[in-house]
Amino acid sequence: MSETRTSNFPKTLPAFLSEGDPTTAKVYLAIARAASRLADELPLHTGMAGGVNPSGESQAKLDVFSNDLFADALLETGVVGEVASEEMEEPRRSNAPAEESLAVAMDPLDGSSNIVTNSPLGSIFGIWRGRLPQSGRRLVSAMFVTYGPQLTLCFSHGNRVCQFVKMRIGPQAGEFVLASEGMRLPDPPEVYGFGGERNKWTPRVEAFVRSLEERGLKLRYGGTFIGDYNQVLRRGGIFAYPELKGRPNGKLRILYESAPVSYLTELAGGASTTGRGSMLDITPTTLAETAPCYIGNRNLVREVEEQFARS
Ligand code: F6P
Ligand code: MN
């Protein structure tokens, strides 16, 4: 008698999540469904929407579409009471009491300047209890999506980091299946990517990048936080959107971007810093507050802190 082949297939997302917290599972499954739809519809929503987001950035039609898609999907789960987004001035709320529901902060389409060039895009979600803003230290879980050659989900499951990939053909077509579990940032580190123009980096940022180059790390910078960060997660290294001359708080938004990714990084054995301590220890006072951020292998992040403390 031959064994059924199904037992050799990687676990699907619903099967995997059935072993964890059911509330978080509802949120993850809602994001997975919406991300699949967004990936399918990327070519349908081209061009600019005409508005600007709370950070003053011009909104693409895809920014607005993805924002509404994820916000609706999250609120429909019944377990999310508040959705705050990089694309909205004010959070959207359900009638659920704050103390009994989750709050999600999201960047629904990270790297939207990459739409026109067909380069990687992402979505980022931080999940808290209660109301926002809160520090990253209080995150319950986090997830990011990559829209690249493959559609992937990376998220915390308990204190482990997992990555799922969407199958397009074969017996599991249409399913997200387990690709990596218990992810750790590889060592030795191989790649680095620092945002902002080089002539705007402060001298201590430039000195640090020079030291990375001198020891042979390779530059990998595509202009989308999630795409660039995912390379650090898979190959080891450091991603930063650093302090700039005239822009000491960098560009990345703590709640929508850097805290959720820092949370996953720390679970995967890496570290994050603003230059003076973990990203996770900042409690932003406004939803769109930014901070310089350096995320990656622990040794490199500690070096940033040590070098900055001396300068
Ligand atoms: O969300 C902001 C963002 O688009 C990130 O995805 C990316 O890392 C960064 O801006 C790119 O900024 P710059 O063009 O200044 O390097
Ligand atoms: Mn972004």
Side-chain angles (χ1 to χ4, degrees):
M1 284 278 282
S2 66
E3 224 181 304
T4 64
R5 284 187 59 216
T6 347
S7 59
N8 294 327
F9 292 153
K11 223 170 229 182
T12 64
L13 187 64
F16 183 83
L17 293 177
S18 67
E19 293 158 14
D21 169 46
T23 309
T24 317
K26 281 188 187 164
V27 177
Y28 284 168
L29 289 170
I31 293 171
R33 276 191 298 273
S36 286
R37 180 164 166 210
L38 177 56
D40 288 343
E41 293 203 22
L42 284 175
L44 298 182
H45 309 271
T46 56
M48 300 309 290
V52 290
N53 73 11
S55 305
E57 297 160 343
S58 301
Q59 287 175 313
K61 284 187 185 157
L62 267 173
D63 286 319
V64 176
F65 174 75
S66 57
N67 180 71
D68 293 345
L69 181 67
F70 284 120
D72 290 346
L74 288 164
L75 291 170
E76 277 164 19
T77 60
V79 298
V80 174
E82 178 177 72
V83 178
S85 164
E86 186 178 300
E87 301 302 335
M88 301 190 297
E89 210 63 63
E90 296 294 332
R92 279 196 204 160
R93 297 203 168 117
S94 73
N95 295 327
E99 60 282 4
E100 286 166 25
S101 54
L102 299 175
V104 179
M106 65 175 182
D107 178 354
L109 194 69
D110 176 52
S112 28
S113 65
N114 277 356
I115 296 169
V116 72
T117 57
N118 188 28
S119 300
L121 298 164
S123 301
I124 312 171
F125 304 87
I127 303 169
W128 284 262
R129 286 203 179 81
R131 288 275 188 259
L132 296 169
Q134 295 185 40
S135 77
R137 200 56 78 193
R138 298 174 67 88
L139 274 157
V140 175
S141 58
M143 178 182 249
F144 69 79
V145 184
T146 69
Y147 312 87
Q150 300 189 359
L151 178 60
T152 71
L153 308 171
C154 180
F155 57 88
S156 57
H157 187 67
N159 57 9
R160 289 160 74 75
V161 177
C162 310
Q163 208 154 40
F164 278 69
V165 61
K166 174 107 182 256
M167 301 305 285
R168 294 198 171 117
I169 58 167
Q172 291 182 297
E175 298 275 6
F176 282 97
V177 305
L178 184 60
S180 308
E181 190 178 2
M183 297 175 79
R184 312 289 293 173
L185 273 73
D187 201 48
E190 286 184 19
V191 296
Y192 76 95
F194 273 49
E197 298 102 307
R198 198 168 185 121
N199 63 8
K200 301 230 174 88
W201 290 345
T202 58
R204 60 190 190 174
V205 169
E206 193 173 15
F208 183 73
V209 171
R210 222 176 309 116
S211 84
L212 294 173
E213 289 165 350
E214 279 160 10
R215 58 189 119 159
L217 270 80
K218 290 183 184 161
L219 168 64
R220 288 289 184 272
Y221 192 76
T224 172
F225 174 35
I226 282 305
D228 292 327
Y229 169 74
N230 197 48
Q231 303 198 53
V232 168
L233 178 61
R234 303 306 310 220
R235 300 182 64 185
I238 184 164
F239 172 86
Y241 203 103
E243 58 180 19
L244 301 179
K245 291 176 200 158
R247 200 170 181 180
N249 290 326
K251 181 179 187 187
L252 295 189
R253 285 138 288 221
I254 302 163
L255 285 182
Y256 304 135
E257 301 177 298
S258 35
V261 173
S262 298
Y263 175 81
L264 292 169
T265 306
E266 295 197 11
L267 287 180
S272 70
T273 186
T274 61
R276 278 190 298 177
S278 170
M279 282 298 318
L280 300 183
D281 289 323
I282 308 182
T283 305
T285 50
T286 60
L287 292 169
E289 191 171 314
T290 66
C293 108
Y294 311 79
I295 306 179
N297 283 52
R298 196 182 286 261
N299 291 349
L300 295 176
V301 170
R302 293 291 164 261
E303 268 183 50
V304 170
E305 288 178 336
E306 282 159 22
Q307 191 183 311
F308 283 19
R310 288 196 299 269
S311 58

